[in-house]
Amino acid sequence: MPNGYAGRILHVNLSNGSINIEQPDESFYRFYMGGSALAMHYILREVPKGADPLGPENVLVVSVGVLTGAPISGQSRVMANAKSPLTGAIGDSQGGGFWPAELKRAGFDAVVIRGRAAKPVYLWIHDGEAELRDATHLWGKVTGEAEALIRQELGDPKVEVLQIGPAGEKLVRYAAIMNMSNRANGRTGMGAVMGSKNLKAIAVRGRQRPGIADPEALAKLARWGVENVESMIGGLARHGTANVVISQQEAGGLPTRNWTSGVFEHYEAISGPRMSETILKERDTCFGCAVRCKRVVEVKEPRWQVDPLYGGPEYETIATLGSYCGVGDLSAIAKGNELCNKYGLDTISTGATIAFAMDCFEHGLLTTADTGGIELRFGNGEAMVKLVELIAKREGIGDLLAEGSARAAARIGRGAERFVVAAKRQELPAHMPEVKRSLALIYAANPFGADHMSSEHDPSYSPTASATSLARMSSLGLICPQDPLVLNEEKVRFAFYVECFFSLLDSIGTCQFVWGPGWQLYGPNQLVEAVRAVTGWETSIFELMKVGERRLNMMRAFNAREGFGRKDDWLPARCFEPKKGGPSDGYAVSEEELRQALDWYYAIAGWDAEGKPTRGKLLELGLGWVADLL
Amino acid sequence: MPNGYAGRILHVNLSNGSINIEQPDESFYRFYMGGSALAMHYILREVPKGADPLGPENVLVVSVGVLTGAPISGQSRVMANAKSPLTGAIGDSQGGGFWPAELKRAGFDAVVIRGRAAKPVYLWIHDGEAELRDATHLWGKVTGEAEALIRQELGDPKVEVLQIGPAGEKLVRYAAIMNMSNRANGRTGMGAVMGSKNLKAIAVRGRQRPGIADPEALAKLARWGVENVESMIGGLARHGTANVVISQQEAGGLPTRNWTSGVFEHYEAISGPRMSETILKERDTCFGCAVRCKRVVEVKEPRWQVDPLYGGPEYETIATLGSYCGVGDLSAIAKGNELCNKYGLDTISTGATIAFAMDCFEHGLLTTADTGGIELRFGNGEAMVKLVELIAKREGIGDLLAEGSARAAARIGRGAERFVVAAKRQELPAHMPEVKRSLALIYAANPFGADHMSSEHDPSYSPTASATSLARMSSLGLICPQDPLVLNEEKVRFAFYVECFFSLLDSIGTCQFVWGPGWQLYGPNQLVEAVRAVTGWETSIFELMKVGERRLNMMRAFNAREGFGRKDDWLPARCFEPKKGGPSDGYAVSEEELRQALDWYYAIAGWDAEGKPTRGKLLELGLGWVADLL
């Protein structure tokens, strides 16, 4: 492929076992680029309004993008999309590892999965071919075991396995899809969708190198990245995402005890440097990445034995299983993380749902009668670990909590809703809108529920941001630094543009720690260079931003058809309650500022008063067919 | 200036003689870049609703942009903006030459002119300073003479003079602003606004080289241009804009006899190659440009003596004074062109208004009693030349025609309106919507009346376009070639994006023959390189496109406040009448397709059903203050 892009899409119908291969025109790839934009092309057309997310009419798309597998950092991500069993809106999640690059080497950009298998199966994709195989013997197995069995059965230790664990089989509403047993497509319950289809795994192996139009230009860009990891994102490389625990604490932005405070007294004990000094076994990497931000930990304490196969906790996991729950024991957190990865659970929703349950317990809405005797108090690490397992297995109180905090609260009743910290029923990740005000808007408005990967956080745009970060932002037309604590018109414009940019990254399938609009290793203009080098297309940020905006609008259109509107774009009560202690003492989002910001945001995005894309906006994006669907 | 941009804006109040210098922040330049975007910043704020375009409350802004004067082709353009006496809407025109680069060397990016001088004055700007000088002795002088007198008086033959001729003094509604006596800011009557202010000229001289952040990068880009002029735009370089006469004829797109036909039997006699073989004296250039598209002609026939000082006719002039009027005599056209430049008239509106008058004469609505004995028939070259002079001097029938064809028709009555070929009362330039359907939309909708420099023409986007042109278009997200004869949703999207791009060029102040989205010497990505090299900004097409969209929205906002709406976004009757003869025999725009296209266009642009920018769109562009004005 000297120039241009040619790819293939695998279509699988589990109900009848049919497998088809589609070879779209190059213009299709140029229009969607891959990932969730590409997924929406199928999901919007095929998933009927009101479909049961766990029924056979839901369509699950697992996809990579045009850059995936290119020999440069941050280009091995897999996106998973379907209607979400957690939110009822569109679902979306991204994961890293080696599986994404391997799918590309096996000759495919996406797998579109329809129907439901009569009994457990797995999909085996190898060098342009695909087959469904029996998975009855794998059902119920934890991820590490299933992976080993599949590799053994296929006779190739290099097979990469994307799979669900027991939590996905049990339809936990926030079950993850795992690969390498330690990389998660965590959010919005895509693992439950896979489980509902009786699809245990997708194993891939391939020997076809993705074409590169301009290998020299790409190599130059790759070298630049290698040389600049330390200066640009040295902390992330050295300590992993856990590196930010300390800065979050210092900003009063470390969510603690179910979001009642932004400071946690044991923050040092769960920080990145502490992890490096104690339980860290080694650094791990995704395919071809020079950053190596992934941690592998090992705990040998009998109480918390942690198998390094299951990686190590990310910042989000440390916060949700840690400070959210008041747990300051890194080993307990590591154990909880191991269990999430073993069983296939989203660590964010898992930790946040446990924190919710602890808050209920502290307020007497849950008792030991409900918990089977567990003293579900903030700070009880053993209880936290135990609950991870109960949730994964839907045992005891775990069966209730497997529904997510919002549904659990509805069943608990007696005002338990006030302890739910979720938007669109998805639990909030560990960046606080109270101290980064653009997140108030994006958590509320994001089509797949509260998400921290759909917005650059305000400090990257503040006067204290680095010159490089501000310069990169300026390439997106954002030329005035802003106060993180305001949510004015300019901040909303910032949030919208940056949301479109991240939406692009989830279409191309690019790691957001390595590529981004601000502090990341590579900036927007370098992304353009990368797309040019790989595809030979004469592209620009303008064209790429339109891809991101297209994805966002397709998702909003999906939600609008499902009846989602302004009422659903809102924050949980806790965000409006003053935080206690530390630098963010007294901080809260105000309902009035969020209402006003939503007005601006919808208008800026070209949506109506309910947040539904207007026909004009859809036409501007070349999406007339979506307007016709609405 | 190693990095960044610092400029100055000159403010002149002619009513009280005050002169002030403003030094805006860099963010101001980054937001507007210069040119008419910058002009709108002042005009929108200061020109009151309902202002008389020829009264002292109109504000005239003469401006250049951030790239002006940089040592690379196509970077010496001057923009003029004010409320238009021809259209009553916002006025806008661009011109080339050496004056623009000289204004920059004199230390300024723009001159904002308010009020009205009690007696004729001229403005003398030199090396960062400015003064008003008496121009009583220059009033009534033709451009060549006034220019010579000013240079003599200032004692410097290198002074560049931007001025009006007698037509501007007489407030001909389509009077031009001239520089070098042969470069025109032709359209929308900016010369009449200057005349109404008793401002004869702006003379400039400076020795300050504009700063270049990365001289090597710019030099490399400049060299690329020099090396590729022949392969990219060789025809334009060799034969000037007149080069397209033959291709227009072959497409049936050469407007003939007041737009009744798209073919002209004498097209070869008025073609670029014929001009090169006969009356061409030499090629001329604007500052620093390797293209040298400008023609200088000399005619020695006693009847049509043409002074080479006044340059030579462009394609638009050849068509409007030629085929529009049925005149196939290149010498007559050259004479008409000379007179337009001498007196300071827009050749397009001049020729088109004469063609209108000829049509009226042919149909008996005007007679020799009205014309002072002139047989004003199609094909009468002497009559055409005579009328140019009468219009400039407002003598005889010239006084009526100096009002433009729309106002003249209203006075003639008896159905003369059907012969008016104008949009928003501005006469149509010589590219036919009947064969390039995107122009139907843009002629109708453009805020400053029918304009051919606000849209790439369809063939650049058709399957027959060059690979380079299509690749460049793709960088603007336009990936599917289109049939020039359709006006579908995708075509409207194309027209809108390209309109934003050209709007950008008129903000940066860049020649549209040298830089553009398709067939031009340089494409969009190279423009980004140029802006980076000159300013050091980490910019992108995304940021730049937003500047263009900003200008367009500010202009639409100005018009909306003046009461312009959907009714004004329309084509003249003639465009809906079938053309006669040649390849476009029977071709017409349909009212229904235009109505539908306007619906799509407004929606795509983020405007309401009247074509007024919505608050949301203005917020998205950072123009909250404009929304507050409406």
Side-chain angles (χ1 to χ4, degrees), chain B residues 212-485:
Chain B
I212 307 291
D214 186 347
E216 263 182 63
L218 192 71
K220 190 180 162 199
L221 200 56
R223 272 196 308 278
W224 184 93
V226 172
E227 287 159 11
N228 287 277
V229 166
E230 181 54 33
S231 66
M232 294 297 296
I233 50 172
L236 173 68
R238 278 195 303 282
H239 300 301
T241 53
N243 185 53
V244 301
V245 170
I246 292 170
S247 57
Q248 295 281 59
Q249 168 78 14
E250 285 170 352
L254 183 64
T256 297
R257 293 187 183 82
N258 202 31
W259 287 67
T260 49
S261 172
V263 287
F264 183 43
E265 64 277 21
H266 302 302
Y267 77 98
E268 282 184 316
I270 61 171
S271 69
R274 182 65 60 87
M275 185 161 69
S276 297
E277 292 158 15
T278 56
I279 61 174
L280 185 71
K281 183 179 159 70
E282 57 185 339
R283 284 166 65 181
D284 189 13
T285 183
C286 298
F287 171 85
C289 190
V291 182
R292 301 174 62 230
C293 73
K294 191 75 192 162
R295 306 291 99 172
V296 179
V297 303
E298 184 167 26
V299 180
K300 293 181 177 172
E301 288 177 58
R303 199 167 61 135
W304 306 129
Q305 272 200 3
V306 173
D307 183 347
L309 173 66
Y310 295 101
E314 301 290 341
Y315 163 67
E316 289 293 330
T317 309
I318 288 173
T320 50
L321 299 178
S323 59
Y324 278 47
C325 296
V327 171
D329 179 341
L330 200 50
S331 297
I333 293 167
K335 185 64 192 177
N337 178 65
E338 182 214 55
L339 292 175
C340 285
N341 289 352
K342 231 171 181 166
Y343 291 109
L345 282 172
D346 173 34
T347 60
I348 298 176
S349 281
T350 302
T353 300
I354 295 171
F356 153 79
M358 286 175 166
D359 219 351
C360 288
F361 191 93
E362 297 274 4
H363 286 85
L365 299 183
L366 290 176
T367 65
T368 48
D370 301 300
T371 63
I374 298 167
E375 282 291 326
L376 199 54
R377 298 210 173 271
F378 285 122
N380 185 345
E382 290 194 47
M384 177 274 285
V385 171
K386 184 67 193 165
L387 256 74
V388 173
E389 192 154 5
L390 293 177
I391 289 168
K393 296 179 173 171
R394 278 191 177 270
E395 286 176 3
I397 191 162
D399 191 39
L400 174 69
L401 300 181
E403 295 293 294
S405 55
R407 285 180 177 80
R411 289 198 205 160
I412 293 167
R414 290 172 293 149
E417 284 83 359
R418 73 181 191 276
F419 303 124
V420 173
V421 187
K424 293 193 183 65
R425 298 195 283 201
Q426 171 156 276
E427 290 73 17
L428 264 56
H431 294 264
M432 298 183 75
E434 292 89 339
V435 298
K436 298 169 183 172
R437 215 50 66 88
S438 65
L439 287 182
L441 173 65
I442 298 300
Y443 279 3
N446 186 57
F448 48 94
D451 183 61
H452 58 299
M453 304 306 281
S454 295
S455 172
E456 189 60 277
H457 307 153
D458 304 309
S460 301
Y461 188 52
S462 75
T464 62
S466 74
T468 301
S469 190
L470 290 175
R472 286 173 172 179
M473 288 287 181
S474 75
S475 72
L476 301 180
L478 300 165
I479 51 179
C480 302
Q482 293 286 321
D483 180 345
L485 294 179

Side-chain angles (χ1 to χ4, degrees), chain B residues 535-609:
Chain B
T535 63
W537 294 336
E538 183 159 338
T539 188
S540 72
I541 299 185
F542 183 82
E543 181 188 15
L544 297 182
M545 284 286 279
K546 290 294 170 192
V547 172
E549 195 177 358
R550 202 168 277 142
R551 166 183 174 273
L552 180 62
N553 274 270
M554 289 193 286
M555 289 182 159
R556 291 293 301 200
F558 181 93
N559 286 1
R561 195 173 54 175
E562 295 293 329
F564 282 76
R566 188 175 176 119
K567 68 185 186 314
D568 304 293
D569 288 342
W570 202 242
L571 288 177
R574 191 130 283 174
C575 291
F576 304 116
E577 296 166 8
K579 300 288 93 75
K580 288 173 201 135
S584 56
D585 187 60
Y587 282 23
V589 178
S590 92
E591 298 200 18
E592 183 46 37
E593 75 178 334
L594 181 56
R595 249 191 299 274
Q596 175 63 81
L598 280 168
D599 285 344
W600 289 327
Y601 173 76
Y602 291 164
I604 283 173
W607 301 339
D608 69 13

Side-chain angles (χ1 to χ4, degrees), chain A residues 97-225:
Chain A
F98 280 72
W99 191 92
E102 197 68 27
L103 178 68
K104 194 71 160 272
R105 291 168 68 99
F108 295 97
D109 296 300
V111 188
V112 183
I113 302 152
R114 301 174 180 84
R116 169 187 280 159
K119 55 173 191 159
V121 292
Y122 75 96
L123 182 62
W124 166 223
I125 304 174
H126 47 101
D127 290 314
E129 293 176 19
E131 61 186 290
L132 286 166
R133 296 174 66 105
D134 179 57
T136 313
H137 57 300
L138 302 172
W139 208 249
K141 293 276 185 291
V142 298
T143 54
E145 287 174 39
E147 184 175 64
L149 284 168
I150 290 172
R151 285 179 176 157
Q152 195 177 9
E153 176 169 322
L154 296 173
D156 184 346
K158 292 191 167 168
V159 165
E160 291 293 343
V161 177
L162 185 94
Q163 61 170 321
I164 54 169
E169 299 171 13
K170 297 269 188 196
L171 309 180
V172 175
R173 286 188 189 269
Y174 44 91
I177 298 175
M178 304 298 300
N179 84 80
M180 303 176 75
S181 302
N182 52 41
R183 312 302 165 95
N185 284 73
R187 308 238 67 194
T188 68
M190 295 299 97
V193 175
M194 197 159 152
S196 75
K197 295 188 174 305
N198 275 324
L199 180 64
K200 176 70 176 176
I202 305 177
V204 294
R205 182 75 173 107
R207 287 157 193 89
Q208 178 191 320
R209 283 201 173 184
I212 308 291
D214 186 347
E216 263 182 61
L218 192 71
K220 192 179 159 197
L221 201 56
R223 271 198 307 278
W224 184 93

Side-chain angles (χ1 to χ4, degrees), chain A residues 480-507:
Chain A
C480 302
Q482 294 285 322
D483 180 345
L485 292 179
V486 303
L487 193 49
N488 57 15
E489 290 174 359
E490 177 65 11
K491 179 69 70 67
V492 174
R493 190 168 81 93
F494 154 78
F496 174 66
Y497 280 13
V498 171
E499 185 180 24
C500 289
F501 187 78
F502 280 120
S503 184
L504 159 70
L505 295 183
D506 290 341
S507 303

Side-chain angles (χ1 to χ4, degrees), chain B residues 55-70:
Chain B
E57 70 270 31
N58 201 0
V59 175
L60 173 66
V61 182
V62 174
S63 57
V64 298
V66 291
L67 294 189
T68 306

